[in-house]
Amino acid sequence: MLGNKAYNQSGHLEIAGCDVVNLASEMGTPLYIFDEELLRKAMAAYRNGLAQVVPESTVAYAGKAFLCSALCGLIEQEGLWLDAVSGGEYYLALVSGFPTTRIIFHGNNKMREEREMVLAEGVGRWVVDGEEELDTLLEEAPSYRHGKMPVYFRITPGVDPHTHEFITTGKVDSKFGFPLMEGIASRALQKAVDSGLVDVMGIHCHIGSQIDSLEPFEQTVKVMVDFMADFRDRTGFVLTELDMGGGLGVPYLDADLGRFPSIDDYCRGLGAQLRSQCERRSFPLPRMVIEPGRSIVNTAGSTLYRVGTVKNIPGVKRYIAVDGGMTDNPRPVLYGAKYQAVLGVRTTDREAHEYTVVGKCCESGDIIINECSLPSVKSGDLLLVEGTGAYNHSMASNYNMIPRPGVVFSREGKALMVERPESWYDLVRRDVIPEAFSTRAGANCDIEGGKR
């Protein structure tokens, strides 16, 4: 099993000392469960590992992987910054009390409302993603209320990380950033420096996600340092920060354990490469910034389901249908992602069967695990799918009007609800029914105590 899990004397699976049978009884299913200790350990590993090789360094957690108000508090406690890619992520951090001076604000299409909020509330670094955005920012920068706007420029370094095409972002053909070709990135950077309206701190890149070797990262460091050194040689301006983004892959299956570099290996590898390349180009060592997300939260997270029906088609397949599905985990249908599962209560049945774990959505593609070896499963059993901490909660939807699960943080036998599960009322509370469309007497009745 992945992470800190074990069966107790009652045969019940525990996560960080919390009995999943009790969690299901008290908080319902489906339920996202995060091991708080694993979250903190991963954050500390990045923070300490990078500081050992590059003393001037910053770790910014990538909020797109998973974000809630309680996690913002945990991130602040661990001394990390936050990478926010939308007004919604920024707003969540803002109202949770997270310091805006430790937010890196991304996005390839920052809308007016988003820009106005950040200009008013402040930001640690604003990542400029394209030429039109730069022109708009230079017009709006004088209205920034917190001194001179600190900015990065996102560069597409042209490195192929050999991962899934949907999560590859650093190749030349990308919707993100300034390409190096034909001097496009260099001219934009020079324009910002010459304007005097923003504080040009450094450059940023992100080559992709779920990367299983250090070579693409090391290749990218060389490209980025060369760009910084060439810009200095041509203009005399020295960029003082380099943000390498994130992308370190993680195991989703027991069979993948040991396949990916460790956090320590990643930090040492990037730090050593940065030092080497800066020495080669006689360039002053910049502050190194990284933005890990998946590798902090994924193994720490699991999803607890209750089995509804078990269907056996003789000679074809056995199906387990759970009370969630592609609404709380769309990654299998999007990327062909593979997961593993364990039963919430240990069984004495030693005979294993092959099952396909499916959800309750009205889609044939609503498959969570295509092949899963488990003891006999029956209706009412609890099933825990491991490694769901990243991009499950973030990508969850209400397809088929299915409520999204709640979120629990567990540590040392104590579980805290940090996001309540949605109710049916939550699904309709934004609806407005004009009189012309009220077709029945009960259209405006109370639903779980709320008025439409």
Side-chain angles (χ1 to χ4, degrees):
M1 290 185 284
L2 303 176
N4 182 19
K5 306 181 185 75
Y7 288 101
N8 61 25
Q9 291 182 343
S10 300
H12 297 178
L13 187 65
E14 290 186 350
I15 299 177
C18 293
D19 188 318
V20 299
V21 175
N22 294 337
L23 289 177
S25 175
E26 296 169 9
M27 301 177 180
T29 57
L31 183 68
Y32 296 123
I33 306 170
F34 285 85
D35 184 327
E36 181 187 335
E37 183 179 1
L38 291 184
L39 294 173
R40 292 186 183 274
K41 281 185 175 180
M43 291 181 189
Y46 271 115
R47 185 188 65 237
N48 298 332
L50 193 61
Q52 287 178 4
V53 288
V54 187
E56 293 295 320
S57 59
T58 299
V59 179
Y61 169 72
K64 58 183 172 287
F66 161 65
L67 197 63
C68 67
S69 298
L71 186 63
C72 284
L74 194 154
I75 295 166
E76 183 179 7
Q77 290 174 7
E78 292 298 325
L80 272 60
W81 284 40
L82 175 66
D83 151 17
V85 300
S86 70
E89 289 183 0
Y90 179 96
Y91 180 77
L92 187 153
L94 177 68
V95 299
S96 73
F98 191 87
T100 59
T101 53
R102 282 164 51 185
I103 296 177
I104 301 176
F105 184 53
H106 290 268
N108 69 302
N109 184 23
K110 302 177 181 72
M111 307 304 290
R112 178 179 58 81
E113 296 85 354
E114 296 174 319
R115 299 195 311 270
E116 289 178 349
M117 176 171 55
V118 176
L119 288 167
E121 301 294 341
V123 71
R125 301 290 184 268
W126 179 302
V127 183
V128 183
D129 197 272
E131 294 183 69
E132 287 193 12
E133 180 188 333
L134 174 60
D135 291 338
T136 300
L137 182 61
L138 293 180
E139 291 177 4
E140 297 176 344
S143 67
Y144 187 60
R145 304 176 186 177
H146 309 274
K148 191 176 285 189
M149 169 76 75
V151 301
Y152 289 159
F153 278 69
R154 179 160 182 170
I155 307 297
T156 48
V159 174
D160 185 352
H162 305 294
T163 186
H164 194 288
E165 62 178 322
F166 289 177
I167 50 178
T168 295
T169 57
K171 295 194 294 185
V172 173
D173 183 8
S174 172
K175 74 174 188 177
F176 300 104
F178 294 86
L180 295 175
M181 60 188 296
E182 299 181 3
I184 294 173
S186 183
R187 286 195 302 272
L189 200 59
Q190 185 68 61
K191 181 177 183 178
V193 171
D194 291 344
S195 75
L197 296 172
V198 292
D199 190 2
V200 180
M201 306 292 291
I203 55 175
H204 168 277
C205 68
H206 179 72
I207 58 173
S209 299
Q210 195 58 0
I211 300 170
D212 62 3
S213 76
L214 295 180
E215 188 275 331
F217 296 114
E218 293 170 342
Q219 182 183 349
T220 304
V221 170
K222 180 181 183 302
V223 172
M224 299 295 275
V225 170
D226 278 341
F227 176 83
M228 297 170 82
D230 290 343
F231 190 77
R232 175 207 56 188
D233 294 346
R234 189 176 62 259
T235 69
F237 188 87
V238 177
L239 296 159
T240 59
E241 299 185 9
L242 172 59
D243 187 334
M244 287 295 298
L248 179 62
V250 297
Y252 281 83
L253 307 173
D254 287 341
D256 291 332
L257 292 171
R259 172 187 159 197
F260 297 88
S262 69
I263 292 174
D264 286 342
D265 289 342
Y266 170 85
C267 291
R268 282 197 299 268
L270 257 66
Q273 177 73 337
L274 178 63
R275 288 183 174 278
S276 172
Q277 295 303 321
C278 286
E279 182 177 349
R280 179 180 64 86
R281 293 301 306 264
S282 299
F283 191 84
L285 192 68
R287 171 179 288 273
M288 174 169 265
V289 183
I290 57 173
E291 298 172 348
R294 185 196 313 261
S295 52
I296 287 178
V297 297
N298 195 69
T299 301
S302 303
T303 307
L304 184 64
Y305 300 101
R306 192 173 293 280
V307 175
T309 61
V310 179
K311 181 182 295 184
N312 182 19
I313 304 175
V316 180
K317 191 171 287 188
R318 289 183 173 90
Y319 286 100
I320 301 171
V322 297
D323 52 356
M326 62 186 290
T327 50
D328 58 75
N329 184 0
R331 294 189 67 256
V333 71
L334 286 176
Y335 309 130
K338 299 185 187 309
Y339 289 88
Q340 65 186 30
V342 293
L343 291 175
V345 178
R346 184 166 50 197
T347 175
T348 57
D349 185 358
R350 295 184 179 275
E351 183 181 1
H353 304 282
E354 290 298 316
Y355 292 98
T356 295
V357 182
V358 299
K360 65 192 304 298
C361 294
C362 191
E363 296 284 343
S364 297
D366 181 20
I367 298 173
I368 300 174
I369 304 175
N370 195 44
E371 294 181 358
C372 184
S373 181
L374 292 167
S376 295
V377 179
K378 63 183 183 303
S379 178
D381 284 349
L382 291 173
L383 189 73
L384 188 87
V385 176
E386 300 185 275
T388 62
Y391 300 103
N392 284 235
H393 174 277
S394 296
M395 293 182 172
S397 75
N398 293 128
Y399 181 56
N400 286 169
M401 295 296 281
I402 296 173
R404 289 173 294 186
V407 182
V408 166
F409 282 5
S410 60
R411 185 179 184 182
E412 297 177 348
K414 296 181 180 179
L416 297 175
M417 177 73 75
V418 299
E419 189 172 294
R420 65 173 178 80
E422 284 184 324
S423 67
W424 288 332
Y425 172 66
D426 289 323
L427 301 179
V428 300
R429 64 187 173 84
R430 294 183 300 133
D431 284 9
V432 177
I433 305 179
E435 189 64 31
F437 300 106
S438 181
T439 59
R440 61 184 179 83
N444 294 309
C445 67
D446 280 354
I447 304 177
E448 290 193 8
K451 288 281 190 180
R452 278 193 170 191

